Amino acid sequence: MSATDRPLPTPTGDSEAFWRACKKEMLTAQRCADCGRLQFYPRRYCTSCLSERLEWSTLSGRGKVYSHSTVFRALSPAFQKDIPYIVAVVELAEGLRMMTQIVECAPEAVFVGMPVEVTFDHVSDEIALPKFRRAEAKQP
Amino acid sequence: MKDPSGRAAIVGIGRTEGPRTPGVNSLQLHAEVARKAILDAGLKLADIDGVLTAGCDEPTYCEEVAHSAVLSEYMGLKPRFTYTIDLGTPVFAKMVEVAATAISAGLCRTVLLACAEPTVSRASRTQAVEKMTAFGHPEFELPYGVSIPAFYALIARRHMHEYGTTGAQMARVAVAMRRHAGLNPWARFRDPITVEDVLASPMIADPLHRLDCSITTDGGAALVVTSLDHARDLPHQPIVYLGAGQGYSHEHLVAAPSLTSFAAVESGRDAFRMAGLKTGDVDIAFLYDNFTIAVISQLEDLGFCGAGEGGAFVEAGHIDLGGRIPVNPNGGLLSEAHPGRPGGIFHLTEAVAQLRGACGERQVRDAETALVHGVGGIMSNHATVILARA
Ligand SMILES: [Zn+2]
C-alpha cells in the first residue's frame, strides 16, 4: 500500500461476517443471545456479559447525525484528494453509534440530528464501506 | 502498606529549554534531562534506585529491549525497581503515582522518571505531524479519514450542540495559553494572539481551526521522586505527592460512551479523594491542552465548573494567570511545547517550579497546590496527580 492509498479494513475473525454483509449492502451488528444487547464494533464476546453466543442482526440502516466535522486539512496524504469531506458519528435507530462519512451532502448542509440512511461505497472487490446520506424524515 | 499520600515528594526537575534539540537522539535526550534532574535534586547516580520511562520512538533502542533498562545502562544507573510504562500520553502523571507508591511500599527509595523525544528534529515536521495524528480503529475509523483533529472536532461539535459552546469560547483557551507562553522564554510561540486570530486561522476540521490545535516540537523532561523524609535533607523545598487517580472509558472514539463527558470524572474524583482536597483547594491546574475543546471538557469533568459551563468559564478569564484557576502558566501544548508522548511532562516540571515559587513573571502568586492531568487517545485514558508545597 502506498501512502496515497486510502486505508482499507482488513476483516478479522470478529468482523468477516460484518464485511460480507456490507458487500451485500446490509448493515449488521452482533446481538447477544444471552443478554440481548447489541454491540458495535464486532468482537469475539459480548462486552456486557462475556457471552460467546453472539448472533448477527440486520439493522435498519437509518439513524441521525450525532456529531460531524468537515475535514479541510487531511493529515494523511491518502485523503488529500477528498477534501473537504464530512466525517460523522451516526446514531442508528437501534441505538448504536458508528464512525462514518456523510456523502452526497454539502458541508454547510449537515447538522446534528439530520436523519440519515446507509449507503455502501464499494471501495474494493472485498470491501464496501457503510457511509450515510441524508434521508427524508418519515412522517410520524 | 502505608498510604502513599504525603509520603513522597518531587525533589528534582530537568527539562529541555526550548522547542528544538538538534543533533541528539531519543536516548541522549532522555539522559540529558535525567542528568539535569539528578543534579537539581542534589543527588548522585548511586542515590537513584528506581527508574521509570515511557519508551521511545526510535526502533534502535526500543525493539526487543526494555527502554528503562537501556537508559539505566547508558547513564550508569543500577535500579532495583524499573519499568517502561506503556500508557500513551498521560503516562507522566502515572509515573509520579507509580514512583510515590513504590517508595511508600519500600520497593525503592529514590526514583528517576523521564520522557523525551527529538520529535521534529528526527523527522520532518510533516512526518512528525503525520505520526502524531495517525490514530484510529483500523477497521471502523481509519477508513473514513478521521484525523486526530477531526476526532476532537466531533467532540467539539457535540459540545456546541448540547451546551451552546462557541468557537470563540474555544479560541479563548488558545489566547490564554499564548498569553502565558509570552512570559515563558522557552516557549515555541510567544507573540500574543486574539480570538479573531484563532477564528481566522485555517480550518483544519470544522469547528477546529489551526490555532485550536497543539503545536509540534522536540523536548522532554525528567523528575526525581523520593521519600518525604529523605526530601527534607535535599536542597529544594519538597513538592509533596498528595494523590492520584486514573480513569478509562474507551480507546477509540467509536466506542466512547459519551462525547461530552469522559473518564477525567473518575480520575479527578479519586485523586481529590486520596489527597483529601476539593477543586477549590487547587491554586493552579495543568490540563492536557492538545486541543482547545479538551481544556473546556477537563474543566467540567474535573469539577472546576459545571457540565456545559466550560466555554463561559474560559470566556470569563477564569483560566488566565490572575484568574480563578490559572491553567498551564507555561503556555501548554498549544503554545509552549508538544513533542508527542512527552508533551505533558512539561506540565509536571512547571507544576514543581510553580510550587517552588521559581517562575518569575509567570509565577502564580502563593501557589501551594497544583493539579496535573493527562489525557491519552481521544479523551480515552486519563491520569491525575495532585501536588503541594511541603
Ligand atoms: Zn451479553
Side-chain angles (χ1 to χ4, degrees):
Chain A
M1 194 178 98
S2 86
T4 51
D5 289 340
R6 291 189 196 86
L8 290 184
T10 305
T12 68
D14 295 344
S15 63
E16 253 164 23
F18 174 85
W19 292 115
R20 258 200 322 273
C22 284
K23 198 68 206 162
K24 291 186 235 161
E25 307 218 331
M26 287 190 313
L27 190 64
T28 58
Q30 293 170 313
R31 185 185 293 280
C32 176
D34 283 312
C35 76
R37 290 277 291 270
L38 275 171
Q39 73 181 17
F40 184 82
Y41 53 94
R43 280 99 147 172
R44 199 170 172 87
Y45 304 109
C46 171
T47 56
S48 291
C49 76
L50 276 185
S51 168
E52 56 186 355
R53 295 176 58 221
L54 297 171
E55 292 162 356
W56 289 98
S57 173
T58 301
L59 306 174
S60 65
R62 300 180 72 87
K64 286 179 176 170
V65 171
Y66 189 78
S67 192
H68 61 90
S69 170
T70 301
V71 178
F72 289 92
R73 168 123 195 269
L75 295 163
S76 148
F79 291 94
Q80 202 61 45
K81 55 188 172 295
D82 298 339
I83 54 172
Y85 57 93
I86 306 168
V87 298
V89 176
V90 160
E91 187 163 70
L92 299 167
E94 292 82 1
L96 297 171
R97 283 187 215 142
M98 288 182 69
M99 195 66 66
T100 188
Q101 279 183 8
I102 304 297
V103 295
E104 301 167 37
C105 180
E108 55 278 11
V110 64
F111 59 94
V112 174
M114 183 173 92
V116 289
E117 62 187 12
V118 73
T119 172
F120 290 89
D121 185 358
H122 292 261
V123 289
S124 75
D125 289 345
E126 294 80 33
I127 297 295
L129 285 177
K131 296 183 176 177
F132 287 79
R133 65 184 171 211
R134 186 168 191 157
E136 293 315 312
K138 282 188 180 149
Q139 298 303 314
Chain B
M1 191 182 123
K2 290 169 181 160
D3 180 354
S5 177
R7 304 185 61 84
I10 298 169
V11 292
I13 52 175
R15 52 160 297 169
T16 50
E17 298 173 352
R20 294 295 294 264
T21 59
V24 296
N25 66 24
S26 171
L27 183 64
Q28 292 161 340
L29 196 61
H30 275 85
E32 180 184 314
V33 293
R35 175 179 177 273
K36 281 189 202 169
I38 296 169
L39 295 176
D40 182 59
L43 294 172
K44 300 191 175 65
L45 284 172
D47 297 321
I48 306 293
D49 62 354
V51 175
L52 296 173
T53 69
C56 82
D57 292 337
E58 279 165 20
T60 336
Y61 289 114
C62 292
E63 273 178 10
E64 318 276 330
V65 296
H67 179 254
S68 69
V70 172
L71 178 67
S72 298
E73 177 191 281
Y74 183 86
M75 295 196 69
L77 293 163
K78 295 181 177 58
R80 58 186 174 130
F81 177 85
T82 184
Y83 286 103
T84 305
I85 303 179
D86 179 5
L87 192 67
T89 47
V91 68
F92 62 94
K94 196 69 188 172
M95 287 199 288
V96 175
E97 180 193 7
V98 171
T101 308
I103 291 163
S104 302
L107 299 177
C108 54
R109 187 184 189 211
T110 304
V111 178
L112 168 77
L113 55 93
C115 193
E117 284 300 333
T119 304
V120 180
S121 294
R122 177 175 48 228
S124 68
R125 189 183 163 280
T126 313
Q127 285 171 314
V129 169
E130 268 177 41
K131 180 167 170 26
M132 283 171 69
T133 51
F135 184 92
H137 191 287
E139 285 184 88
F140 299 103
E141 290 181 340
L142 280 183
Y144 298 107
V146 197
S147 59
I148 289 189
F151 283 118
Y152 277 87
L154 291 166
I155 290 169
R157 172 70 62 200
R158 188 69 200 178
H159 205 276
M160 293 165 89
H161 176 77
E162 286 189 25
Y163 299 122
T165 306
T166 66
Q169 289 173 334
M170 293 189 279
R172 187 63 181 72
V173 175
V175 170
M177 294 306 102
R178 184 61 65 86
R179 199 177 289 165
H180 297 172
L183 302 172
N184 177 357
W186 300 327
R188 169 72 181 84
F189 292 104
R190 302 187 58 199
D191 293 336
I193 52 172
T194 63
V195 165
E196 291 68 37
D197 291 336
V198 179
L199 296 177
S201 66
M203 193 68 93
I204 302 294
D206 169 39
L208 298 182
H209 297 261
R210 177 168 291 156
L211 290 173
D212 286 300
C213 308
S214 51
I215 59 175
T216 311
T217 66
D218 297 336
L223 295 94
V224 176
V225 185
T226 193
S227 69
L228 185 57
D229 291 343
H230 185 206
R232 296 199 189 280
D233 301 330
L234 298 175
H236 289 290
Q237 182 170 26
I239 304 305
V240 184
Y241 167 82
L242 289 186
Q246 186 175 359
Y248 178 84
S249 55
H250 61 280
E251 180 63 15
H252 303 102
L253 196 64
V254 64
S258 163
L259 294 195
T260 46
S261 179
F262 302 93
V265 171
E266 290 80 19
S267 180
R269 180 199 62 204
D270 291 353
F272 278 116
R273 187 179 293 162
M274 184 171 174
L277 296 176
K278 314 179 294 295
T279 48
D281 299 320
V282 172
D283 300 312
I284 323 173
F286 290 87
L287 305 183
Y288 201 79
D289 57 325
N290 53 348
F291 294 93
T292 51
I293 182 63
V295 172
I296 288 173
S297 169
Q298 288 162 70
L299 285 167
E300 296 175 7
D301 285 348
L302 292 167
F304 290 104
C305 60
E309 295 170 6
F313 189 85
V314 165
E315 203 166 40
H318 294 325
I319 69 166
D320 301 356
L321 270 170
R324 196 182 287 177
I325 177 74
V327 170
N328 304 350
N330 48 329
L333 308 171
L334 284 163
S335 279
E336 188 206 28
H338 191 15
R341 193 192 311 108
I345 204 164
F346 295 120
H347 288 168
L348 267 185
T349 52
E350 177 78 3
V352 171
Q354 286 280 347
L355 296 175
R356 284 178 179 176
C359 287
E361 268 193 293
R362 64 179 194 279
Q363 178 65 45
V364 175
R365 236 200 285 167
D366 303 324
E368 288 181 4
T369 306
L371 172 144
V372 187
H373 186 82
V375 179
I378 310 296
M379 299 302 283
S380 315
N381 187 5
H382 296 253
T384 313
V385 60
I386 296 176
L387 305 170
R389 199 154 73 182

